[in-house]
């Protein structure tokens, strides 16, 4: 509102201005503010709580699901807790490149406990399992998956 009155004041002072030039100036000054700007701001606030049941990692994330709107073309195989990369500046609106993101973790396919991707907290074989469920599920897996899981379990004790 105050900008408008300032704009008209300038025009009054510059009455000798060429008509066309002042018209262009007016068009530039009164270009509508993008209505989406406020929504974008809110969207960048992390509102979903991620809490790993294994290592206690605690983080606020931006998205839970399979297709984060800020990571174009990405489709996770499991519902994931996704954080926008905090070190990445927002891309210009007209740019359709996906943002960088970090998938922190998922829910265990068996018991639904939230686990991060750390090898101390979860194991992935067709789905993500917490280590406790992994130890139970293990016997249903092919030998190769079993030995990989056992290796991961032993690797955690130095
Ligand atoms: Zn963890
Ligand atoms: Zn589990």
């Amino acid at each position: 509102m105050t900008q408008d009155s300032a704009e008209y004041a300038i025009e009054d002072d510059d009455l000798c201005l060429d008509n066309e030039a002042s018209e262009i100036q007016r068009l530039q000054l009164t270009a509508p503010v993008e209505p989406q700007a406020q929504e974008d701001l809110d969207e960048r606030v992390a509102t979903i709580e991620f809490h790993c049941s294994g290592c206690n990692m605690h983080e606020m994330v931006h998205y839970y699901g399979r297709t984060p709107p800020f990571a174009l073309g990405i489709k996770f195989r499991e519902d994931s807790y996704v954080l926008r990369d905090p070190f990445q500046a927002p891309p210009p609106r007209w740019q359709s490149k996906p943002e960088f993101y970090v998938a922190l973790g998922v829910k265990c396919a068996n018991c639904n406990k939230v686990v991060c991707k750390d090898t101390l907290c979860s194991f992935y074989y067709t789905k993500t399992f917490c280590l406790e469920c992994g130890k139970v599920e293990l016997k249903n897996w092919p030998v190769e998956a079993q030995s990989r899981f056992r290796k991961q379990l032993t690797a955690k004790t130095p």
Side-chain angles (χ1 to χ4, degrees):
M1 311 306 151
T2 45
Q3 247 179 347
D4 279 350
S5 48
E7 177 198 336
Y8 290 127
I10 290 165
E11 274 185 21
D12 288 343
D13 288 343
D14 297 336
L15 276 178
C16 55
L17 255 184
D18 171 54
N19 267 347
E20 201 183 344
S22 75
E23 182 62 21
I24 288 167
Q25 191 188 33
R26 199 212 320 274
L27 284 174
Q28 284 171 346
L29 283 169
T30 57
V33 179
E34 289 179 70
Q36 297 293 319
Q38 189 58 41
E39 275 177 39
D40 277 2
L41 263 182
D42 294 339
E43 197 183 282
R44 295 195 68 82
V45 178
T47 53
I48 300 165
E49 197 174 10
F50 172 81
H51 188 186
C52 175
S53 61
C55 65
N56 252 347
M57 180 188 10
H58 194 261
E59 197 80 53
M60 294 305 284
V61 300
H62 297 86
Y63 180 81
Y64 176 71
R66 295 183 185 214
T67 51
F70 47 85
L72 294 177
I74 298 295
K75 192 171 192 304
F76 295 111
R77 272 187 261 180
E78 304 168 282
D79 289 334
S80 304
Y81 289 89
V82 190
L83 179 71
R84 288 184 153 190
D85 185 342
F87 299 106
Q88 180 82 352
R93 300 193 55 76
W94 57 86
Q95 188 184 316
S96 57
K97 249 170 63 182
E99 269 186 64
F100 289 103
Y101 62 88
V102 188
L104 287 183
V106 299
K107 282 179 182 162
C108 168
N110 200 46
C111 70
N112 237 22
K113 264 196 315 198
V114 176
V115 283
C116 75
K117 301 261 176 176
D118 196 288
T119 53
L120 300 182
C121 299
S122 66
F123 179 74
Y124 186 86
Y125 172 66
T126 67
K127 292 175 254 182
T128 299
F129 296 94
C130 71
L131 295 193
E132 295 314 306
C133 291
K135 286 175 195 164
V136 178
E137 290 287 312
L138 176 88
K139 56 182 183 299
N140 305 319
W141 295 345
V143 181
E144 194 202 332
Q146 291 192 23
S147 66
R148 284 184 71 164
F149 183 50
R150 289 213 175 88
K151 236 182 245 169
Q152 184 177 315
L153 286 178
T154 50
K156 79 188 211 182
T157 40

